[in-house]
């Protein structure tokens, strides 16, 4: 349009803030308002909502964590029962209770453990999958869209399907294991019977393995797309130089592609750290018996922090003070992990 | 015109400089995929699609097919209507727990409402803010934008206790407001729109509109909105997927109520200590359908959104 002719003009006049001056004196107050105030109006919805529903809740959780905040239901002599919140400042008592109790420590170890055993294979497989996609492919779109099916499937839906896959007696996972001759005994005494596969929920390693499969089923394709995006922005002549030295496809991936997309790898590590610390749906729904209460199966083998906070606040204990203290301790861990991440990234980045 | 001319040099990959080396050292993108490549990708595709396909099959059978010994059932059966009727409490059958608290249809509709409102608001607010951060000058712009990016790394988990208390005080627990209002804007949306607008609209166009006397809002409506329409589509799709799949917060804030959304509805399909999984899977399959359809229709845009959003980060 006419834009090009004016372009030269205004480029000479340097800078956006000069714009107002062209309008003449009659609109100068409006022009000032438009330049000085309107930008803040445009960005304000985000900040208002984030302060109200992002920051304030975190601060408020801190206040709650210094109180006993138990919902109690006293029954009066008349037989009426009334919901009553008793709030009382108790200082650090909640923190003391959380830290001296094995439940939180165990949940934290479960969360961190599940993060490590799921993130490493997940990012590895995502890299491999991305390099499979990073070829001249027929039906390219079909493959790229197809690997997103797990990502768009509602997490509750897919987890409930996997919960039946890992069912003890005739789940599909056990059918596959049965093909390889793996069997286990279920039932006591005369009722004992041989079934294919294993009892997934009986041991920590098998329960964790099942959860890792669910988590990685969901996120590998998504991460692969992120890697693919980064891989496609690598200049092509890098590979030309490398191939002259005789690098094969596998070596090409690890010694050229991966170092070139290191920022993206760091980005996905951060993403999966954040995601893992909030791991909730999979461990909650992995219980075959939803009424089993405290969660995480026998001995809470796979109960995560998010699940414990949920149970403490909204489950039987109904103790928001304790749940708030747990949230804040989790926050400390998040900050520590973020600092550690930044430190490692700097170190890796700096060495280059 | 100017916009495309500006963008072209960035978007276009550099042409290979050494043509003679191309045969030896083709970049992976230029290397045709071998059959093994296709085989592996097909296996991945199958594994990704199988759970939902199988849930669809199971929505047409009773529980005995879920737990049959031997190979899984792969063809549909006659019981879809039966499962649907039990799930939605049109009929009651001995051996099935009551599903009165699930209100599947209502939860489904609630989720549709939440998604519509959240997507509309997110597109509007995020493109406004993204425009301001990309093209306007104001004091504190850069620190404020870094703050937006920083909030991307704060897990929602941290404030969940406080958020519930606040909702309780406001009287929003068990209403759609509790799951709608906090989601009206997103840090990712602001970030994504800012990156897109920065690249897509040259400063000169905005500048010249300014010179002609256009206000900030007019610049937004007449220049920014038409240009960023593809990005709005992408952001809308990703926002819709996230809003539809909300689980933990929805479970706490509206679970079991009239304002229940689809996530907690599925959670509550597991009644008693030995849930009827044919019913659970019927619900799971139906809850996945809208997004499967969305992926089939708009898959390219979703893929593009994820890939673009990532590279610009």
């Amino acid at each position: 349009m006419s834009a090009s002719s004016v372009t030269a003009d205004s480029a000479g006049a340097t800078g956006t803030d000069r714009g107002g001056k062209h309008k003449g004196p009659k609109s100068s107050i409006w022009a000032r308002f438009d330049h000085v105030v309107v930008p803040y109006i445009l960005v304000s919805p985000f900040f208002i909502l984030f302060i109200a529903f992002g920051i304030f809740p975190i601060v408020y959780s801190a206040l709650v964590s210094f109180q006993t905040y138990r919902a109690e239901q006293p029954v009066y002599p008349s037989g009426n029962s009334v919901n009553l919140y008793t709030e009382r400042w108790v200082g650090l008592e909640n923190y003391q209770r959380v830290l001296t109790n094995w439940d939180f420590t165990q949940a934290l170890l479960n969360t961190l453990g599940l993060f490590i055993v799921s993130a490493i294979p997940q990012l590895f497989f995502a890299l491999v999958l991305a390099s499979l996609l990073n070829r001249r492919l027929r039906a390219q779109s079909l493959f790229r869209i197809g690997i997103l099916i797990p990502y768009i499937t509602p997490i509750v839906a897919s987890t409930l399907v996997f919960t039946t896959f890992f069912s003890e007696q005739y789940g599909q996972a056990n059918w596959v294991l049965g093909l390889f001759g793996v069997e286990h005994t279920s039932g006591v005494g005369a009722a004992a019977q041989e079934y294919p596969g294993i009892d997934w929920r009986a041991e920590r390693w098998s329960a964790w393995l099942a959860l890792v499969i669910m988590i990685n089923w969901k996120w590998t394709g998504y991460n692969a797309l992120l890697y693919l995006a980064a891989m496609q922005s690598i200049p092509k002549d890098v590979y030309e130089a490398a191939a002259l030295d005789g690098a094969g496809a596998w070596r090409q991936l690890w010694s050229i592609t991966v170092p070139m997309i290191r920022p993206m790898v760091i980005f996905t590590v951060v993403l999966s750290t954040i995601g893992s610390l909030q791991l909730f749906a999979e461990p909650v729904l992995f219980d075959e018996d939803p009424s089993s209460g405290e969660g995480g199966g026998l001995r809470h083998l796979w109960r995560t922090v998010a699940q414990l906070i949920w149970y403490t606040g909204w489950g039987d204990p109904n103790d928001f003070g304790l749940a708030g203290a747990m949230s804040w301790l989790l926050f400390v861990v998040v900050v520590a992990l973020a600092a550690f991440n930044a430190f490692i990234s700097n170190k890796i980045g700096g060495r280059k | 015109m100017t916009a495309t001319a500006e963008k072209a040099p960035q978007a276009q990959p550099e042409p290979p400089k050494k043509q003679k080396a191309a045969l030896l050292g083709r970049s992976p993108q230029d290397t045709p995929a071998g059959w093994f490549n296709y085989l592996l990708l097909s296996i991945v595709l199958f594994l990704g699609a199988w759970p939902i396909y199988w849930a669809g099959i199971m929505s047409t059978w009773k529980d005995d097919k879920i737990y049959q010994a031997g190979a899984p059932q792969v063809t549909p059966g006659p019981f879809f209507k039966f499962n649907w009727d039990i799930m939605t409490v049109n009929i009651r059958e001995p051996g099935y727990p009551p599903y009165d608290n699930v209100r599947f249809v209502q939860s489904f509709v609630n989720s549709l409402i939440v998604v519509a409102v959240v997507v509309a608001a997110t597109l509007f607010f995020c493109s406004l803010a993204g425009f301001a951060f990309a093209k306007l000058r104001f004091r504190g712009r850069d620190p404020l934008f870094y703050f937006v990016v920083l909030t991307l790394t704060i897990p929602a988990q941290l404030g969940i206790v406080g958020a519930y208390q606040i909702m309780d005080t406001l009287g929003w627990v068990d209403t759609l407001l509790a799951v709608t209002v906090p989601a009206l804007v997103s840090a990712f949306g602001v970030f994504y729109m800012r990156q897109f607008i920065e690249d897509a609209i040259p400063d000169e166009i905005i500048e010249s509109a300014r010179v002609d006397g256009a206000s900030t809002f007019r610049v937004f409506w007449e220049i920014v909105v038409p240009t960023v329409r593809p990005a709005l589509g992408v952001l809308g799709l990703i926002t819709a997927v996230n809003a539809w799949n909300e689980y933990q917060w929805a479970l706490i804030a509206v679970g079991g109520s009239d304002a229940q959304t689809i996530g907690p509805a599925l959670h509550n399909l597991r009644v008693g200590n030995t849930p009827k999984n044919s019913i659970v899977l019927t619900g799971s399959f139906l809850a996945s359908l809208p997004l499967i359809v969305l992926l089939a229709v708009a898959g390219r845009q979703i893929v593009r959104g994820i890939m673009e959003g990532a590279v610009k980060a």
Side-chain angles (χ1 to χ4, degrees):
Chain A
M1 294 174 50
S2 65
S4 54
S5 62
V6 191
T7 305
D9 240 48
S10 55
T14 64
T16 322
D17 38 2
R18 288 286 176 91
K21 292 204 170 169
H22 293 275
K23 287 182 196 170
K26 65 171 179 175
S27 61
S28 71
I29 294 176
W30 165 244
R32 255 190 86 75
F33 176 80
D34 199 38
H35 273 255
V36 178
V37 182
V38 165
Y40 295 104
I41 296 177
L42 300 193
V43 299
S44 61
F46 172 79
F47 288 96
I48 291 170
L49 280 171
F50 186 74
I51 289 166
F53 299 108
I55 294 178
F56 187 54
I58 294 179
V59 175
Y60 201 83
S61 302
L63 292 182
V64 171
S65 74
F66 295 120
Q67 303 172 30
T68 61
Y69 215 96
R70 256 165 284 184
E72 291 173 13
Q73 274 194 317
V75 179
Y76 293 107
S78 62
N80 292 333
S81 114
V82 178
N83 249 326
L84 198 72
Y85 280 110
T86 47
E87 300 166 42
R88 191 163 48 81
W89 289 94
V90 290
L92 293 171
E93 190 193 299
N94 284 324
Y95 289 88
Q96 198 190 351
R97 278 169 67 203
V98 171
L99 290 172
T100 52
N101 191 326
W102 169 236
D103 282 351
F104 182 77
T105 316
Q106 184 195 28
L108 191 61
L109 291 176
N110 284 346
T111 307
L112 295 175
L114 278 165
F115 160 58
I116 290 166
V117 298
S118 67
I120 293 170
Q122 181 185 123
L123 300 182
F124 172 81
F125 285 124
L127 275 168
V128 173
L129 182 53
S131 75
L132 290 177
L133 286 165
N134 194 23
R135 287 275 188 279
R136 209 166 72 220
L137 280 173
R138 282 162 203 274
Q140 190 194 52
S141 293
L142 172 76
F143 286 116
R144 287 185 186 179
I145 294 168
I147 63 165
L148 277 186
I149 293 174
Y151 164 76
I152 57 118
T153 304
I155 193 159
V156 187
S158 59
T159 307
L160 290 172
V161 177
F162 274 103
T163 298
T164 69
F165 282 179
F166 293 113
S167 175
E168 189 217 330
Q169 297 190 349
Y170 291 114
Q172 277 178 38
N174 279 347
W175 169 66
V176 174
L177 288 179
L179 298 179
F180 296 99
V182 182
E183 288 194 331
H184 71 284
T185 312
S186 185
V188 194
Q193 201 185 328
E194 288 288 311
Y195 290 98
I198 59 173
D199 183 356
W200 291 89
R201 292 168 182 80
E203 299 291 337
R204 169 171 283 124
W205 71 267
S206 54
W208 281 28
L209 178 61
L211 288 168
V212 165
I213 291 172
M214 294 181 203
I215 297 164
N216 290 0
W217 175 83
K218 189 157 198 69
W219 293 108
T220 304
Y222 178 82
N223 282 313
L225 268 192
L226 298 186
Y227 289 149
L228 178 64
M231 285 176 184
Q232 302 216 319
S233 60
I234 299 176
K236 292 183 180 176
D237 39 0
V238 173
Y239 291 100
E240 286 160 21
L244 290 174
D245 300 341
W250 186 252
R251 239 199 77 195
Q252 213 178 39
L253 173 64
W254 294 109
S255 48
I256 306 174
T257 309
V258 173
M260 292 289 287
I261 63 168
R262 189 164 42 203
M264 185 60 82
V265 175
I266 292 169
F267 178 66
T268 56
V269 170
V270 173
L271 275 189
S272 47
T273 313
I274 299 167
S276 302
L277 290 173
Q278 309 191 69
L279 192 64
F280 180 75
E282 289 92 345
V284 167
L285 299 168
F286 186 52
D287 245 318
E288 273 194 299
D289 174 3
S291 61
S292 68
E294 300 187 17
L298 276 174
R299 291 167 284 139
H300 313 308
L301 290 179
W302 68 83
R303 183 163 67 181
T304 60
V305 176
Q307 194 181 355
L308 181 63
I309 291 174
W310 176 62
Y311 169 70
T312 307
W314 290 270
D316 279 340
N318 203 204
D319 188 334
F320 289 120
L322 212 54
M326 289 173 181
S327 307
W328 265 87
L329 288 169
L330 182 64
F331 185 64
V332 173
V333 175
V334 170
V335 172
L337 273 179
F340 181 71
N341 261 336
F343 173 73
I344 293 286
S345 314
N346 270 338
K347 244 192 145 169
I348 296 172
R351 218 190 303 148
K352 206 192 159 187
Chain B
M1 292 290 278
T2 327
T4 47
E6 282 277 320
K7 259 193 95 175
Q10 286 184 320
Q12 216 66 32
E14 302 230 325
K17 279 170 195 159
K18 297 173 243 169
Q19 283 297 349
K20 63 174 180 224
L23 268 179
L24 255 173
R26 274 184 301 201
S27 76
Q29 281 150 274
D30 295 332
T31 315
W35 65 270
F36 190 61
N37 207 319
Y38 283 105
L39 177 70
L40 289 179
L41 283 175
S42 305
I43 292 173
V44 170
L45 234 55
F46 171 77
L47 292 177
W50 169 252
I52 289 309
Y53 172 78
W54 185 74
I57 297 301
M58 284 305 114
S59 70
T60 65
W61 290 103
K62 294 185 182 178
D63 263 19
D64 55 332
K65 291 286 181 185
I66 296 176
Y67 297 114
Q68 67 182 2
Q73 181 72 32
V74 292
T75 50
F79 294 111
F80 178 77
K81 176 106 182 25
F82 175 81
N83 288 333
W84 169 265
D85 283 340
I86 286 182
M87 183 172 71
T88 56
V89 209
N90 285 332
I91 58 168
R92 279 182 198 282
E93 279 287 314
Y96 285 84
Y99 291 100
D100 307 71
N101 289 326
V102 176
R103 292 181 290 262
F104 188 83
V105 177
Q106 189 182 357
S107 305
F108 198 95
V109 173
N110 285 342
S111 268
L112 289 177
I113 294 169
V114 171
V115 166
V117 174
V118 165
V119 167
T122 300
L123 293 186
F124 182 64
F125 290 137
C126 291
S127 52
L128 275 179
F131 165 55
F133 279 127
K135 294 295 174 190
L136 302 181
R137 293 182 182 183
F138 52 98
R139 197 184 289 260
R141 180 180 81 168
D142 293 343
L144 286 175
F145 184 66
Y146 290 137
F147 178 77
V148 173
V149 175
L150 189 72
T151 64
L152 279 169
T153 63
I154 299 178
Q157 193 67 54
L158 299 178
I160 205 160
V161 172
Y164 181 79
Q165 304 276 328
I166 292 164
M167 293 296 173
D168 201 24
T169 311
L170 292 171
W172 287 6
V173 170
D174 290 346
T175 71
L176 285 181
L177 288 172
V179 283
T180 310
V181 176
L184 292 181
V185 294
S186 71
F188 172 77
V190 174
F191 174 76
Y192 180 74
M193 292 313 295
R194 186 243 181 206
Q195 305 305 80
F196 190 90
I197 291 169
E198 177 131 298
D199 290 350
I201 304 172
D203 289 340
E204 292 79 20
I205 289 190
I206 291 173
E207 183 61 26
S208 68
R210 289 276 198 189
V211 171
D212 294 344
S215 69
T216 306
F217 281 111
R218 257 194 73 192
V219 171
F220 177 74
W221 281 119
E222 293 181 5
I223 298 176
V224 177
V225 171
T227 316
V228 299
R229 206 162 279 162
L232 289 178
V234 167
L235 179 61
L237 290 166
I238 290 176
T239 307
V241 170
N242 290 337
W244 185 267
N245 291 347
E246 179 61 58
Y247 171 49
Q248 187 183 8
W249 173 244
L251 184 62
I252 289 169
V254 295
S257 75
D258 281 345
Q260 177 168 262
T261 50
I262 197 74
L266 294 183
H267 177 101
N268 289 332
L269 271 179
R270 305 208 307 159
V271 182
N273 43 19
T274 48
K276 282 287 182 187
N277 278 313
S278 49
I279 307 299
V280 173
L281 294 178
T282 302
S284 299
F285 174 67
L286 292 174
S288 308
L289 266 189
L291 294 184
I292 300 284
V293 171
L294 198 66
L295 189 70
V297 174
R300 279 165 205 267
Q301 282 82 352
I302 296 176
V303 167
R304 222 185 63 198
I306 290 170
M307 288 178 67
E308 277 179 356
V311 169
K312 283 164 181 167

